[in-house]
């Protein structure tokens, strides 16, 4: 039965993506379009944690580490290379390699879940402090100054492939972001359907049993962690293309937010965290426009309400409600 | 003939407590061996050493004569060892069929694996549960699902930790029958606490006491042995008090 569902889900995702690319640039103001691109980059970030935490069972409190590293790797490589297209693989490879090194230490060192949360969180805070302290002129990588707490305001956007003097307009950047989200979703779907993904889910269900069946749990966890790191890096790249890179990318604010998006959207779903990220970002922006009310207060209240009303997240709750009417199965 | 699984002077210390003390035993191919002993005898600790969940403080574990001391659980499983834990260790969120399919780690072809998984469920009489979520099953069914996962890949050796824990006398007798039937195709080590059960199994028995091998013999001799009776009835000298 999954055999029929997968093509339907992938087709639906593709249709939504193409529709968004064709329609949104015409109906949104430039500023709103750039904001929408930021939200899409956040959706990719949410998807990365959905894989690592929701399916891999690895509670990574520091997914922002890879988001920030992706952004910085992109900015530094883009400034140095000139042709920013070549910075794309760097933005994905650097966080993936860091995830590989960190994951190796954590999983092969058999570090327990609680400490994994603490270590990943600590790493992002260390990077936050470190990058903040790189304001002097001696802190540069090639032609790129790291800029301390100011970040790198001169982060160049992607250019037409092979044409460094021709940066992509915002509509194109939006399209790139949407396509990236679609590709990440498809990759995630295929991973979960493949043998690798099924073992990952089994490990989440019962690590010891998976091990007693002969699976090298460490290798599987490392694998999903690296994939998640690479995806978060891509999201950092997209973010850098709409805003610019700065130490806040490593901040507690982002690391915490990602967890909330995944939780509110629905753990162990893929579409849920994507919706969660976009919805909560819209909400935050909207709350910011309200006069005389602290936006954090509104957001907090809505979060508390969401957790109370839909403890399993938006998507699973929606599926249950729909299921009551027409016996539909849960969606992912 | 080399034993399928053997230990040489196996010792496991936890601080001052010597949970397993200089245990040497050999289990031959095709054997059904019971490992029994009173509370705190060191059975679970020995089980954990044999299954790679803890590394012994001293001594060796041999598989067909090869030193496998210190291997991880998954490496021991890959040798062809099926392991059933005392409390069923299952994939609660998955279906019974998916669970057993995952146990067939080396079968890459999906269709073949499916057929094999269903055949295993058939063999254990729970094929009608194939599409059920494991979390929704009753206790007895859960035991059978775990057993299905253990036997599906046709392991050379099956190690069972207290398979009759929490069972009634009647269930214990039935479990003994299932285990004897499995023994037709697999070498089996059963770690047990229950005397009733070893009567029903009636094979070679190794009795552990305070981490040491007290006696190793056929079931009749073991049951007739005074020391074993003392240990189990508790009317023994001070040495069988729990070590503080
Ligand atoms: N992790 C540990 N740390 C310290 N002492 C331990 C540990 N595990 C076991 N022991 C001690 O080792 C001894 C043997 O324990 P073990 O659990 O192996 O006995 P057992 O034969 O399985 O008993 P039971 O029939 O009650 O399950 C006991 O004295 C126990 O307190
Ligand atoms: Mg025990």
């Amino acid at each position: 039965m999954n055999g029929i569902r997968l093509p339907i889900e992938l087709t639906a995702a593709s249709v939504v993506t193409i529709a968004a690319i064709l329609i949104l640039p015409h109906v949104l103001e430039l500023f709103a379009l750039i904001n929408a691109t930021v939200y899409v980059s956040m959706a990719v970030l949410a998807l990365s944690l959905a894989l690592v935490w929701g399916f891999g069972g690895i509670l990574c409190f520091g997914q922002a580490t890879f988001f920030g590293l992706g952004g910085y790797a992109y900015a530094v490589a883009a400034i140095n290379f000139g042709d920013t297209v070549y910075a794309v693989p760097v933005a994905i490879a650097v966080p993936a390699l860091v995830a590989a090194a960190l994951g190796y230490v954590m999983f092969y060192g058999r570090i327990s879940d609680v400490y994994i949360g603490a270590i990943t969180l600590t790493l992002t805070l260390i990077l936050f402090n470190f990058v903040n302290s790189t304001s002097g002129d001696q802190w540069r990588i090639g032609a790129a100054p790291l800029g301390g707490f100011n970040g790198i305001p001169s982060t160049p956007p992607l250019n037409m492939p092979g044409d460094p003097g021709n940066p992509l307009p915002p509509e194109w950047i939006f399209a790139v972001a949407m396509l990236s989200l679609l590709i990440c979703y498809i990759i995630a779907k295929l991973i979960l359907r493949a043998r690798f993904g099924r073992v990952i889910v089994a490990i989440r269900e019962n690590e010891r049993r998976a091990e007693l069946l002969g699976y090298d749990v460490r290798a599987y966890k490392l694998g999903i962690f690296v994939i998640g790191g690479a995806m978060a890096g891509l999201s950092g790249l997209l973010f850098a293309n709409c805003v610019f890179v700065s130490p806040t990318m490593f901040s507690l604010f982002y690391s915490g937010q990602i967890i909330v998006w995944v939780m509110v959207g629905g753990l162990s779903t893929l579409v849920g965290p994507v919706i969660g990220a976009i919805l909560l970002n819209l909400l935050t922006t909207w709350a910011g426009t309200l006069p005389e009310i602290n936006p954090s207060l509104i957001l907090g209240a809505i979060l508390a309400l969401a957790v109370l009303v839909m403890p399993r997240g938006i998507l699973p709750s929606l599926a249950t409600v729909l299921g009551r009417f027409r016996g539909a199965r849960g969606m992912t | 003939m080399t034993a399928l699984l053997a230990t040489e002077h196996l010792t496991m210390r936890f601080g001052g407590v010597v949970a397993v003390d200089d245990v040497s035993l050999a289990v031959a191919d095709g054997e059904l061996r019971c490992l029994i002993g009173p509370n705190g005898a060191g059975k679970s600790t020995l089980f954990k050493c044999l299954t790679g969940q803890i590394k012994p403080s001293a001594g060796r574990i041999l598989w067909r004569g090869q030193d496998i001391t210190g291997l991880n659980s998954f490496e021991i499983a890959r040798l062809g060892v099926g392991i059933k834990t005392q409390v069923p260790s299952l994939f609660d969120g998955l279906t019974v069929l998916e669970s057993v399919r995952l146990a067939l780690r080396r079968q890459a072809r999906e269709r073949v694996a499916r057929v094999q998984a269903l055949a295993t469920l058939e063999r254990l009489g729970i094929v009608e549960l194939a599409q059920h979520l494991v979390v929704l099953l009753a206790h007895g069914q859960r035991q059978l699902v775990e057993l299905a996962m253990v036997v599906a890949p046709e392991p050379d050796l099956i190690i069972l930790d207290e398979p009759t824990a929490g069972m009634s006398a009647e269930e214990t007798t039935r479990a003994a029958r299932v285990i004897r039937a499995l023994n037709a195709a697999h070498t089996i080590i059963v770690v047990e606490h229950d005397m009733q059960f070893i009567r029903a199994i009636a094979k070679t028995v190794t009795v552990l006491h305070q981490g040491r091998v007290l006696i190793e013999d056929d079931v009749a001799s073991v049951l007739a042995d005074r020391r074993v009776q003392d240990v189990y009835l508790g009317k023994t000298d001070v040495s069988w008090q729990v070590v503080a």
Side-chain angles (χ1 to χ4, degrees):
Chain A
M1 57 196 157
N2 276 330
I4 319 163
R5 259 174 59 193
L6 183 74
I8 295 177
E9 285 169 341
L10 296 190
T11 310
S14 307
V15 169
V16 170
T17 304
I18 292 168
I21 291 173
L22 293 180
I23 297 168
L24 286 188
H26 297 291
V27 296
L28 293 182
E29 307 265 331
L30 180 64
F31 177 72
L33 187 67
I34 292 174
N35 255 346
T37 314
V38 174
Y39 302 163
V40 174
S41 79
M42 299 289 138
V44 173
L45 189 52
L47 204 55
S48 79
L49 190 67
L51 272 182
V52 169
W53 179 28
F55 291 92
I58 304 161
L59 182 45
C60 176
F61 278 125
Q63 197 65 7
T65 300
F66 310 114
F67 172 64
L69 282 173
Y72 269 87
Y74 169 77
V76 168
I79 291 170
N80 279 297
F81 292 169
D83 188 334
T84 56
V85 172
Y86 295 125
V88 175
V90 180
I92 295 170
V94 168
L97 286 174
V98 172
L102 179 66
Y104 183 82
V105 172
M106 292 193 306
F107 304 129
Y108 281 73
R110 302 260 181 203
I111 288 174
S112 72
D113 293 348
V114 182
Y115 287 105
I116 285 179
I119 289 171
T120 50
L121 181 63
T122 309
L123 181 64
T124 197
L125 292 180
I126 289 173
L127 282 168
F128 178 67
N129 281 321
F130 168 71
V131 179
N132 257 314
S133 69
T134 57
S135 39
D137 203 45
Q138 72 275 26
W139 291 105
R140 48 169 60 242
I141 299 176
L146 291 182
F149 60 83
N150 289 321
I152 309 178
S154 59
T155 305
L158 286 166
N159 52 247
M160 288 287 181
D163 191 0
N166 192 358
L168 295 181
E171 309 86 71
W172 283 63
I173 302 269
F174 175 72
V176 169
M178 281 305 296
L179 287 174
S180 303
L181 178 59
L182 178 66
I183 290 168
C184 287
Y185 174 73
I186 292 174
I187 289 175
K189 268 283 176 200
L190 294 179
I191 286 174
L192 291 174
R193 231 176 94 88
R195 205 45 202 295
F196 174 78
R198 289 164 68 181
V199 176
I200 283 288
V201 171
I203 291 170
R204 179 195 66 192
E205 288 296 316
N206 187 339
E207 188 166 334
R208 199 150 81 94
R209 179 34 83 193
E211 182 132 20
L212 293 178
L213 292 182
Y215 293 103
D216 186 352
V217 167
R218 308 167 301 181
Y220 282 90
K221 284 188 161 183
L222 181 59
I224 199 73
F225 195 64
V226 171
I227 293 169
M231 250 180 218
L234 177 62
S235 109
L237 174 160
L238 297 171
F239 182 83
N241 264 276
C242 335
V243 192
F244 60 87
V245 300
S246 69
T248 50
M249 290 179 82
F250 294 105
S251 66
L252 204 54
F253 173 76
Y254 276 116
S255 278
Q257 289 251 307
I258 311 166
I259 291 173
V260 172
W261 300 334
V262 174
M263 228 165 61
V264 169
L267 204 58
S268 57
T269 70
L270 291 175
V271 174
V274 168
I275 295 174
I278 292 174
L279 223 57
L280 287 177
N281 270 295
L282 277 172
L283 215 67
T284 314
T285 311
W286 169 77
T289 62
L290 295 180
E292 291 169 32
I293 304 175
N294 188 337
S296 318
L297 212 64
I298 295 181
L299 200 64
I302 288 174
L303 285 185
L305 203 70
V307 171
L308 284 177
V309 179
M310 302 176 289
R312 289 183 308 139
I314 296 173
L315 197 69
S317 303
L318 208 65
T320 311
V321 172
L322 285 179
R324 247 174 241 156
F325 289 112
R326 34 177 136 128
R329 299 254 332 253
M331 31 182 169
T332 56
Chain B
M1 203 185 82
T2 23
L4 181 65
L5 186 76
T7 65
E8 285 179 352
H9 310 291
L10 200 70
T11 301
M12 184 72 215
R13 292 184 204 94
F14 297 109
V17 182
V18 190
V20 173
D21 190 1
D22 195 31
V23 168
S24 298
L25 51 85
V27 177
D29 239 321
E31 209 182 310
L32 168 46
R33 171 71 61 92
C34 295
L35 251 167
I36 67 159
N39 285 67
K43 303 179 299 288
S44 292
T45 307
L46 181 57
F47 172 83
K48 284 181 190 151
C49 288
L50 293 179
T51 55
Q53 295 175 61
I54 53 176
K55 317 272 179 246
S57 321
R60 301 201 302 162
I61 303 170
L62 305 175
W63 174 259
R64 297 189 193 283
Q66 267 200 334
D67 192 345
I68 58 160
T69 321
L71 287 193
N72 291 303
S73 292
F74 75 91
E75 291 164 312
I76 288 177
R78 285 180 187 183
L79 294 170
V81 180
I83 300 155
K84 188 178 176 318
T85 51
Q86 184 174 334
V87 180
S89 177
L90 297 160
F91 302 127
D92 272 345
L94 307 184
T95 64
V96 171
L97 183 61
E98 173 75 354
S99 299
V100 180
R101 191 272 167 267
L102 282 160
L104 296 159
R105 189 180 57 82
R106 284 162 59 182
Q107 182 51 262
R109 280 179 309 177
E110 208 46 52
R111 204 164 295 163
V112 182
R114 203 184 141 83
V115 170
Q116 286 178 358
L118 285 169
T120 306
L121 292 176
E122 185 80 60
R123 180 172 155 199
L124 290 169
I126 48 170
V127 73
E128 74 282 356
L129 298 180
Q131 299 301 341
H132 288 228
L133 272 187
V134 170
V135 70
L136 300 175
L137 301 180
H139 181 72
Q141 294 172 324
R142 289 170 70 83
Q143 295 276 14
L144 286 173
V145 170
E146 197 188 27
L147 201 56
M149 290 166 80
V150 170
V151 301
E154 299 289 345
D156 293 334
L157 172 68
I158 297 175
I159 308 181
L160 308 160
D161 190 14
E162 304 215 17
T164 67
M167 286 188 180
S168 64
E170 186 201 330
E171 285 171 328
T172 301
T173 316
R174 198 165 60 216
R177 212 162 43 230
V178 171
I179 289 167
R180 288 186 64 143
L182 282 174
N183 184 225
H186 311 273
T187 308
I188 300 180
I189 299 176
V190 190
V191 175
E192 251 303 341
H193 174 84
D194 187 35
M195 272 295 193
Q196 174 90 24
F197 174 79
I198 73 145
R199 279 194 194 91
I201 289 273
K203 294 273 180 168
T204 313
V205 178
T206 303
V207 184
L208 281 184
H209 179 47
Q210 295 187 345
R212 287 171 173 270
V213 177
L214 184 70
I215 175 175
E216 183 172 303
D217 212 331
D218 63 79
V219 67
S221 317
V222 163
L223 288 174
D225 192 279
R226 244 202 66 95
R227 288 170 299 168
V228 176
Q229 290 171 2
D230 287 352
V231 160
Y232 263 86
L233 297 175
K235 50 178 183 183
T236 183
D237 53 68
V238 265
S239 72
W240 120 257
Q241 303 298 318
V242 178
V243 185

